[in-house]
Each structure stands twice: as structure tokens, then as C-alpha cells.
Amino acid sequence: MFPDLALGKPEVRQIPLHLDNRADGDERYWHGLGLLACGLALEPIQVQPLLVTASASPLGGAAPIRAVLVAAQENLSAATPRLLLPSLEGAALQPRMSLHVAMIAHAVAHLRYSPVGQPSSALKPMGMTVVSAIEDARVERLLMRAYPGVRGWFGAHLAAEPDPSDLTFRAFMARLDRILFCTASSSSNHWVSKAQELFERTVGEHGLEDYTAFRAIASILANDLGQMRVRMDPQHYVVPSPFRDDNSYLWQHPESELGDEALALQQTGARPPPAGAGSSTSEEVSPSQPLDLVRYTYPEWDHKIERMKADWCTVIEGHFTRQGSSQSQDNMPQAALRMANLRLRHARQLDRRHSLRRQWEGDELDLNAAIEVQVSRRMDLQPDPRLFLRAGCGPRPTSLLVLMDLSESVNRQAANGLALLDVEKQAAMLLAQSATQGLDRLAIHAFSSNTRAQVNYDRVLDFGEPCTTVVADFINALQGRYSTRLGAALRHASELLLSEPEGQRTMLVITDGEPSDIDVHDRRYLIEDARQAVLVARQAGIRICCLSVDEQADDYVRHIFGWRNFSIAADPQHLPQRLAHMSARLAAGR
Amino acid sequence: MADYRIREEPYYRSTGNEKALYEQAYRHRMPLILKGPTGCGKTRFVEHMAWSLNRPLITLACNEDMTASDLIGRYLLDSDGTAWHDGPLTMAVRYGGICYLDEVVEARQDTTVVIHPLTDARRTLPLDKKGEVVHAHPDFQLVVSYNPGYQSSAKDMKPSTRQRFAALEFDYPHPDCETDIVAHEAGIAPEFARKLVSLARSTRELKNRGLDEGASTRMLIYAGLLLRDGVSPMDSCEMTIVRALTDDPDAALALHRLVHAQFGA
Ligand SMILES: Nc1ncnc2c1ncn2[C@@H]1O[C@H](COP(=O)(O)OP(=O)(O)OP(=O)(O)O)[C@@H](O)[C@H]1O
Ligand SMILES: [Mg+2]
């Protein structure tokens, strides 16, 4: 069913490597690879693009880059192993996936079967390389024993057969890779057939699990190569099979190498110092803030340690996003858009609390009707046979909370001179007015953040509040400031929604960019946190969707909100229509 | 009531000392919660215990529309008026059966409170509408199941309900044991069953990452049944596991690859 799985024939694809120092955008792609890795490894493992700038690579920009596998560290900063894959951005989707999938399987083989961080000091570079290559073959065989299907994944990207005249070290290693992979083949080269014989004999005599036995034959083979005067250029050597990692995982090097350097380029997790002892929330009032504030603390998800950090964020409720409510309505860019009928439709859903009486058939007897049947019978009248109760379709109370991102970036002007903020205001206004006509419970809340100590939250229009001119003034006076710590705002909004009457509870988030905050440097961190907040809200029964005006948003928005729960308005001007459309859809329970 | 007696021994592969513990609890007619992920063998276990203790078993799947009268009973219509009909719980209480309420948290809390007087020292069931108080038969026992995994905090048992029960925790069986179960239930060769179990382990690793739950023992049995009938392993797993577990195309692709790793050529 997935066409990109045309694996099986050993063929080498040349994939142009495009090195880039920009974070790879396609979250979904990497997320999917991560799932595969966890499933194969049977333990959590993070799969991320390897960020290598041309200058940072000791190989220069042109040489192919191999994957880097980083073992889990005991300290909390890296509780799970990480696999960094060259992002292969220039490649077409299918060969790119196919190579990444093979890279993942290979790395999983190391994770499951290789001893990590062996001391390398006793070995010369060539010895180390041969030991690594034998180890690669050994663990791949073990993995193929557990998962026979991965053979085809490796086979598709095995190093090409070198020209017979090629007697470089790399050519020997390519032949070694091939002879150990294609067990049925044979070689006319003495060293290669010796390698095959030694390897297969060790498999038979010691079993694949015996690391030391294989290390011993690797030493013999490396020694032979030395005798043959084969030379290696350690500076420029790259393992011939592109799906294999650089094997830095296997060794504990005295000095730092590519792996470490690549790591240094990876953004590190945000680790702001913990808030004051006991993380009490009330002492952190900064003088510039108004005083009628209510503070709440929420945890935050740290994807690196896969744990919630308790009481990590402080959500402050108040009216910060308003410049003061004195501004008059004429500042508001009046909508040139005519929003015909924004009124929210009621959800028509099967509601069992509301049962339809006197049905022809149903799950239950309508007792009153039954008694009447008896009465009719006694009176020799034709009884009404409709005596069943059935769960009916009735309106369920819908509570819709629209959560607006009011970070600094909403002030950006679009081509037509309108800032997103203006469009957001228009949309909010229309929605607020629609709520006064309809019967739904609608709230419009807004947020922005300035570090985890200050997530500003403004209940612009609260549930059940009529849309008065005061509210209109409030909306009009909204201002975009600071950053977007989405997770904390989502948690707070969920809490508020959950105190709404039972029924359909829905949240619609409007945002213009990905979550960020000035105290967080790991791009994924707040994305993962927001995703976690969404998952928890869903579990509590909240329907939660997102409307984004960031054209590039597809990946992270989908990652956060999930498949089918977002919509992107590429042109901010379309926001009001989209919003109307989405709220109607949500209110209708679809 | 004889209808509720289990005549044949239900196949149950013990995974620990749960049988002995259940017998101890039954000796005191202690109400029990069986916790564990869906499809891991809780229902089968109760069936087996009811058989081995030679008690009738009345099971009832709970849902949020269930009312107290679904448990207790109600007036129904018959040829000359209305007549009281005992609900399943009342039957078990009267005649000394084991009553098994599946997924009890799904029932609304106002429904579950009817079991309160039954599950403390009183052991009585008041039938308010009928004006009767049923004293539980000495053999009666209440067992409920519950999956702590995907329940929302909004849907949890009240402490006052919870604390009336002792609990046995279940999980997917050990791989060797699960292999036996799948091979037995689906009637397939152990090496196929082992592969299915290994695949299940991979999917269970994805719980909370991309999936709400990993593949259950029940799913593996479904896959095994198709396999036995000659459906290819890839198709069997695609249908009973990959597509059944998720709608998300990314997660489905990852699952598909895990199936391929296991069964691909
Ligand atoms: N230990 C076991 N011995 C025998 N069969 C088992 C065992 N565990 C699981 N099974 C098989 O798995 C199937 C599913 O188990 P069962 O229906 O008991 O699950 P459950 O835990 O009650 O699930 P749910 O919570 O969804 O009701 C059973 O029909 C049975 O075939
Ligand atoms: Mg390797």
C-alpha cells in the first residue's frame, strides 16, 4: 500500500547531499522516522536531522556525511539515545526515505547489540575501522535475525562492488561489506575470502553474540591489510555503505571528532534555572505589571527527558494585552469583508440523555406509552404501537473557546498593509457579535509570553458574557507583544473549558507562527510541549483545532494538533472566513 | 441461572499467581478490580475463574448511557400489565453468581453508586422502584475491569467506589506466554505467533508517541486467524494491526515498516 517500499534489489543510489545549517522543517517526516526507530529499538530514541555546516565539517562540504548515533547519557540532559541523520534535503522523497530507513535500522542494530564506547587508544585508525566494519556486519546480522525484513532495507544501499583494479583501503572495505552481507557470494580476492571464511566460522563456533570473538578476527584482518601495504587516509575516510553510521558510537575517543562537533551544533534543550525555592508563584511580580492579576502554575513537558517539569510556567491572568480600554471604535480597521452569517450552528449529535418518545422501534420501552397500550386494549381500542424510546439527536451545549496568539509577530504587516493583529481583531469582533445572536457559549481569550515566569492570559470575552461595547473596546485595544509559549496557554485554556457545563467543549487556536519564547533555545522543545498539552486536553474530552496563518506551518502545526485538526490560511485576509467556517464546523461537531 | 454456568474449561494461560490470588479474594467474596490494557486477557481470566470455582458468570459491558436500571432491573410490559424484571446485577446477587462489569469507568458515576451497598459489609442491593432489598447470596462476587491507560481524569472512579475493591493488575503476557496464547487461539504455528508477538512489542513501544495503545493480544489473534486462512502476513497485519491501530498516515507508515521488518522478504 505504500509505494515507497520498493526495496530488495541491491542497487546503490547516488543521493546528492545538500548540507545546510538550517533546521530541517519537516517535523512529520522526522516524527515518523522516530516512531520507526522506537518500534525497532524497543526503547525510546530520538531521530533528528544532523545539522552540519560546510565549515564545521572537517571533511569540507563535499564529502558524504554519515549518520551519528549518540548513546544515552546517565545525566538527565540526554536520557535517551539520539540518532542524527544527514537530512539529504536535495533528494527525492522516496530514495531519501529508503536511505533514512536503512540508517535507522543500522543504528538500531548498534543500540541493541553493540557495546558502547569501547576504549580506542590501543588501536590504530585502520584497526579501528576494520573492527567497526566487522561489528557493523555482526550487529546487522543479529538485527536481521530479529527482523528478517530489514535485509532488503540494507541491501538496497549496500556499497557498490569496486572495480577489481581498485586496491585502495576503501575498496577493500566495500568488498568486505558486500561479502559479509551477501553470504552466498564468493570473491577471488584472497583477503576478502579469508574475511568471509573467518567471519562465517566465528558465527558457527561462537555465535553472533560473541563480540570479542569477532573483534579478534578483525584484528587479524587489519593486520593482513597492513602487511599488504594498503594505506588508509583517516582524515578523509568515510564508511562505504551510506546507511552505516560513522561508528563514533562504538568508541570512546580521547579527542573530539565529527560526532561531538555535530552535536555541538545541535541546539541544546532549554534549561532555565528553576524558579525560586518551592517555585512559589506569588513573589515574582515585576513592577511594570498591573495588580489585579491572578496567577496559576502549570507544568511543562520536556521532550528530552520525557517528563513533565512540575510547576514550571506561571500563567498570569489580567488585561495586559489591552492598551487601555479608552480607544474608540473608529481606530478599528472596519471590515471590508462582509461576513454574512457567522452564527454558530448547534451540534446535532446523538444525545442519549435526550430520548425520543413514542418511536416505532428503539432500545427501550416507553413506560407511559406501554400503560396506554394496556388501557387501549382493555377498552378494545386499536393501541398505538409506537411504544419505544430511542436516543435522540438533540442539540448539545457547545462551548467554544477561541485562543488567540498575541505575540509580537502579529504586528507584522502583510503586503496589503494590514497586520495580522488587525485581521485577528476583525475576526474576533465578528465572532463575538455572532455569539450574541446565537445561543452558544463562546469565549475569546488571548495570550502572549515573556519567559516561563510570565505567560500573559487575557479573557477578552468570557463564556456567557454579552458582547457589549466594552468588550468591543477591549478587542479593539488588543496589542501584540512578546512570544508564544503555546503549551502553557493551552493548559490554562483547557482548565477553563473544563469548568464549562458538560457538552461539547471545543478550543480553536489562532496562531501565526510556531511556539517560541526567549528562554527556550531548542526549537522542538515548545512544539513538543504544546503537543503534550493538546494530547492531555483531548483525553479530557476537549476537541482542539488550530487555524494558522503561517504558510510554513504544516509540519509543526500538524505535529502539535494532529492529523486533520488544523487549517492553514495562507493569506491572513482569509482568516475571518476561515474562522467562521471552522467555528461552524466545530460547533456542528464535525 | 444455569445458562450462565460455564461448562467447558475456557483456555487461559496463567501469567503469574493471579489464579491463587483470585481464589483468596473470592474466599472472602472481596470485590475485585481487574486493571490492564485492552485485549490482554481480563475477560478470559474471569471466565476461567468462574469455571474453576463453578459459579455462574454474568458479564455486562458498561457505557456512559447505562443507567442504574440497566444493572438492577426495571418494569417491563407483559400480557397483563407491567412486571418487574431483574437486571443482570440483581440476578447475580440473588442467585450467587459472579457479576463482571467490563470497563466500569465508562458508566456514569451516578450509575456506579448503586453498587456501594453491595460492596461493603452490608452486601445488599436495594431495588428502590420495586421496594425490595435483596440480600446478596453467599456466593455472589462483583468483579469490574478498567483500563487505566486511556481514561481521562474526568472519567475516573470516585475514591469511595474505588476503595471498596481489591485490585489485580494485568499486562500483556510475557512474550513466550503470549506466543503460546496466539498460537493456540489462532491455530497457527508458533514461529508465526512469535513474529506477531515481536511485532506487538514494537507497536507497544509507540504507545503515547504516536499511538494510544499498542497492539493487543486480541489483535494478534485476529492477525493469526487471517494468516491461518492463507492471507499473506503483510496483508493480515496491515488489516488487523496497522489500519486498526491508527488513522494517522505517519504512524501508519511507521507501523507498516515494522510489519515489513518482521515479515518482509
Ligand atoms: N492469558 C491468556 N490466556 C488465554 N487467552 C488469552 C490470554 N490473554 C489473552 N487471551 C486471548 O486474548 C483475547 C482477548 O482477551 P480478553 O477479551 O480477555 O481481553 P480483555 O482484557 O478483557 O480486554 P478488554 O479490556 O478490551 O475487554 C481473548 O479472547 C483470548 O483469546
Ligand atoms: Mg555502524
Side-chain angles (χ1 to χ4, degrees):
Chain A
M1 262 181 224
F2 296 101
D4 54 290
L5 257 180
L7 301 172
K9 39 183 177 359
E11 137 196 340
V12 177
R13 296 195 175 95
Q14 284 305 324
I15 292 167
L17 289 160
H18 174 69
L19 302 180
D20 197 351
N21 57 2
R22 174 173 59 81
D24 193 318
D26 44 357
E27 302 286 337
R28 283 170 39 204
Y29 180 82
W30 294 100
H31 178 66
L33 292 178
L35 291 179
L36 176 66
C38 294
L40 292 173
L42 305 178
E43 65 170 307
I45 157 171
Q46 289 187 38
V47 179
Q48 296 167 343
L50 173 59
L51 311 179
V52 185
T53 53
S55 60
S57 162
L59 306 169
I65 297 296
R66 297 297 182 239
V68 183
L69 178 60
V70 187
Q73 247 81 70
E74 284 314 312
N75 62 30
L76 281 183
S77 66
T80 57
R82 291 201 292 159
L83 175 60
L84 311 173
L85 302 181
S87 62
L88 309 176
E89 273 186 330
L93 179 66
Q94 286 177 21
R96 179 186 187 216
M97 266 230 190
S98 157
L99 182 52
H100 277 155
V101 163
M103 286 174 167
I104 283 172
H106 178 81
V108 166
H110 279 310
L111 276 181
R112 286 181 58 156
Y113 307 112
S114 286
V116 58
Q118 297 293 301
S120 66
S121 40
L123 286 169
K124 295 207 179 67
M126 195 154 86
M128 211 163 76
T129 308
V130 177
V131 172
S132 302
I134 296 282
E135 178 64 1
D136 283 343
R138 181 184 79 89
V139 297
E140 280 173 15
R141 282 224 193 156
L142 281 164
L143 192 77
M144 290 188 281
R145 205 162 69 182
Y147 304 118
V150 301
R151 163 167 279 276
W153 305 0
F154 295 143
H157 299 281
L158 199 63
E161 179 69 48
D163 189 279
S165 64
D166 188 347
L167 297 177
T168 58
F169 177 69
R170 192 165 192 270
F172 277 104
M173 298 315 284
R175 291 185 190 108
L176 179 67
D177 285 359
R178 295 186 66 86
I179 200 87
L180 298 184
F181 185 82
C182 314
T183 40
S185 62
S186 61
S187 170
S188 54
N189 182 289
H190 173 71
W191 183 83
V192 178
S193 24
K194 179 175 178 185
Q196 180 180 34
E197 198 208 311
L198 281 176
F199 191 94
E200 301 305 340
R201 192 180 337 134
T202 312
V203 174
E205 286 173 6
H206 298 266
L208 282 169
E209 287 83 0
D210 190 343
Y211 171 79
T212 32
F214 285 90
R215 177 131 180 197
I217 65 167
S219 307
I220 299 173
L221 291 169
N223 208 38
D224 287 358
L225 283 179
Q227 305 269 305
M228 291 154 67
R229 312 239 168 258
V230 176
R231 294 254 280 267
M232 176 192 186
D233 174 2
Q235 289 293 296
H236 296 100
Y237 181 75
V238 180
V239 293
S241 295
F243 61 89
R244 288 183 173 168
D245 61 294
D246 69 349
N247 282 326
S248 53
Y249 176 82
L250 299 175
W251 306 107
Q252 200 175 17
H253 294 297
E255 81 276 51
S256 95
E257 302 227 337
L258 170 64
D260 300 308
E261 225 164 307
L263 277 187
L265 291 170
Q266 295 285 315
Q267 298 140 329
T268 49
R271 245 156 256 298
S279 65
S280 144
T281 54
S282 45
E283 299 112 0
E284 301 166 18
V285 187
S286 85
S288 64
Q289 286 164 10
L291 286 170
D292 59 331
L293 306 172
V294 193
R295 285 152 187 278
Y296 304 83
T297 43
Y298 287 95
E300 193 164 83
W301 175 254
D302 186 335
H303 71 109
K304 291 260 167 61
I305 56 175
E306 303 212 325
R307 217 166 291 163
M308 281 287 190
K309 293 191 284 205
D311 297 333
W312 197 254
C313 292
T314 306
V315 170
I316 308 173
E317 265 197 9
H319 296 327
F320 324 75
T321 40
R322 304 169 189 181
Q323 293 161 326
S325 42
S326 56
Q327 273 200 336
S328 68
Q329 197 118 15
D330 24 274
N331 280 11
M332 175 139 176
Q334 270 310 323
L337 298 138
R338 220 147 285 298
M339 307 298 301
N341 188 6
L342 243 172
R343 186 161 152 181
L344 304 181
R345 264 182 288 151
H346 273 282
R348 289 224 151 256
Q349 277 208 338
L350 194 60
D351 178 2
R352 296 177 200 270
R353 266 158 302 191
H354 170 105
S355 36
L356 304 177
R357 298 195 162 268
R358 305 230 158 202
Q359 301 293 304
W360 289 96
E361 49 192 18
D363 319 321
E364 260 180 291
L365 269 182
D366 182 337
L367 207 56
N368 298 333
I371 290 163
E372 278 171 40
V373 168
Q374 289 303 312
V375 175
S376 312
R377 271 201 195 149
R378 301 249 159 98
M379 296 169 69
D380 274 336
L381 293 172
Q382 181 68 33
D384 180 350
R386 294 173 302 159
L387 41 76
F388 289 95
L389 283 178
R390 204 175 56 203
C393 287
R396 294 208 292 165
T398 304
S399 304
L400 176 65
L401 191 159
V402 177
L403 183 62
M404 295 199 297
D405 168 2
L406 277 191
S407 57
E408 175 66 41
S409 55
V410 298
N411 298 325
R412 260 194 328 244
Q413 308 257 312
N416 56 10
L418 270 188
L420 172 65
L421 179 64
D422 301 327
V423 187
E424 267 189 320
K425 286 181 185 177
Q426 278 177 23
M429 205 53 219
L430 286 164
L431 209 56
Q433 282 160 356
S434 80
T436 52
Q437 310 160 15
L439 296 160
D440 299 273
R441 294 178 62 77
L442 174 85
I444 300 175
H445 296 177
F447 77 99
S448 64
S449 70
N450 181 20
T451 76
R452 69 186 177 95
Q454 187 191 342
V455 180
N456 303 323
Y457 194 97
D458 188 338
R459 304 202 210 180
V460 181
L461 173 74
D462 218 347
F463 287 115
E465 192 182 338
C467 180
T468 56
T469 50
V470 180
V471 172
D473 280 350
F474 278 168
I475 292 179
N476 193 17
L478 290 174
Q479 245 187 343
R481 273 199 278 172
Y482 306 129
S483 315
T484 319
R485 205 175 195 102
L486 183 57
L490 285 175
R491 288 189 181 92
H492 189 57
S494 305
E495 283 296 313
L496 298 176
L497 252 181
L498 285 176
S499 51
E500 273 293 282
E502 229 178 286
Q504 193 196 336
R505 294 160 170 155
T506 305
M507 189 184 331
L508 177 58
V509 182
I510 304 176
T511 176
D512 71 326
E514 64 181 71
S516 67
D517 208 344
I518 50 169
D519 56 348
V520 177
H521 310 291
D522 173 1
R523 183 172 162 267
R524 292 192 63 88
Y525 177 91
L526 287 177
I527 293 181
E528 295 294 340
D529 172 54
R531 175 179 155 89
Q532 198 65 26
V534 168
L535 290 176
V536 171
R538 285 227 173 95
Q539 275 174 4
I542 296 178
R543 176 95 198 266
I544 177 163
C545 294
C546 174
L547 183 53
S548 173
V549 289
D550 178 4
E551 264 185 284
Q552 324 276 276
D554 189 38
D555 291 309
Y556 67 85
V557 169
R558 174 163 164 184
H559 186 65
I560 295 172
F561 293 93
W563 170 244
R564 287 205 194 113
N565 292 306
F566 66 93
S567 171
I568 293 174
D571 181 348
Q573 266 199 284
H574 297 153
L575 183 76
Q577 281 109 323
R578 279 299 178 84
L579 182 59
H581 178 80
M582 267 185 105
S583 359
R585 186 170 73 102
L586 289 172
R590 272 178 292 132
Chain B
M1 215 46 196
D3 295 350
Y4 293 98
R5 247 174 238 283
I6 299 166
R7 279 164 228 290
E8 302 275 301
E9 171 171 3
Y11 169 77
Y12 179 74
R13 180 84 153 66
S14 184
T15 55
N17 59 348
E18 74 274 21
K19 285 194 201 180
L21 288 174
Y22 187 104
E23 279 163 15
Q24 286 300 329
Y26 185 75
R27 184 166 304 165
H28 300 282
R29 307 299 184 261
M30 205 180 275
L32 271 184
I33 299 181
L34 309 184
K35 294 200 270 184
T38 181
C40 73
K42 302 183 291 293
T43 307
R44 183 58 66 89
F45 173 66
V46 183
E47 286 169 354
H48 183 86
M49 293 314 296
W51 170 84
S52 88
L53 295 165
N54 193 23
R55 296 285 176 272
L57 174 69
I58 298 185
T59 61
L60 194 66
C62 300
N63 57 55
E64 60 178 0
D65 315 319
M66 216 171 66
T67 58
S69 26
D70 292 322
L71 287 171
I72 290 176
R74 55 166 57 87
Y75 280 101
L76 290 178
L77 200 61
D78 67 13
S79 52
D80 38 30
T82 54
W84 174 263
H85 281 244
D86 279 346
L89 179 62
T90 313
M91 295 239 284
V93 171
R94 267 191 221 281
Y95 305 109
I98 293 173
C99 181
Y100 179 54
L101 303 181
D102 216 344
E103 287 298 348
V104 75
V105 284
E106 288 298 325
R108 291 208 309 272
Q109 293 186 343
D110 54 327
T111 306
T112 31
V113 292
V114 305
I115 64 177
H116 280 197
L118 258 186
T119 45
D120 54 30
R122 289 172 278 176
R123 280 177 62 87
T124 56
L125 179 64
L127 309 178
D128 290 339
K129 288 201 187 111
K130 189 164 180 253
E132 181 189 349
V133 175
V134 186
H135 290 269
H137 185 285
D139 291 343
F140 167 78
Q141 187 199 19
L142 184 66
V143 181
V144 304
S145 83
Y146 149 70
N147 178 350
Y150 52 73
Q151 249 84 41
S152 59
S153 52
K155 259 192 190 168
D156 211 347
M157 264 186 273
K158 291 205 275 202
S160 60
T161 307
R162 234 193 136 103
Q163 295 203 2
R164 298 174 131 79
F165 291 84
L168 275 177
E169 180 128 19
F170 285 71
D171 202 348
Y172 305 115
H174 180 272
D176 292 337
C177 180
E178 197 170 21
T179 302
D180 288 350
I181 295 168
V182 174
H184 177 277
E185 293 285 284
I188 53 172
E191 63 262 32
F192 277 122
R194 180 164 300 284
K195 279 169 167 286
L196 289 172
V197 169
S198 162
L199 172 64
R201 238 187 114 192
S202 293
T203 66
R204 289 167 195 167
E205 198 57 49
L206 304 188
K207 177 168 177 181
N208 294 336
R209 266 166 243 286
L211 301 179
D212 294 335
E213 284 281 353
S216 64
T217 311
R218 181 177 19 241
M219 276 188 153
L220 303 186
I221 294 170
Y222 286 169
L225 289 171
L226 296 190
L227 260 171
R228 188 189 60 192
D229 291 351
V231 181
S232 78
M234 288 297 289
D235 286 347
S236 306
C237 295
E238 187 79 27
M239 181 169 165
T240 58
I241 296 173
V242 177
R243 302 289 157 175
L245 276 178
T246 182
D247 298 326
D248 180 341
D250 300 325
L253 183 56
L255 285 175
H256 174 82
R257 288 220 163 85
L258 290 172
V259 174
H260 190 268
Q262 206 60 247
F263 290 101

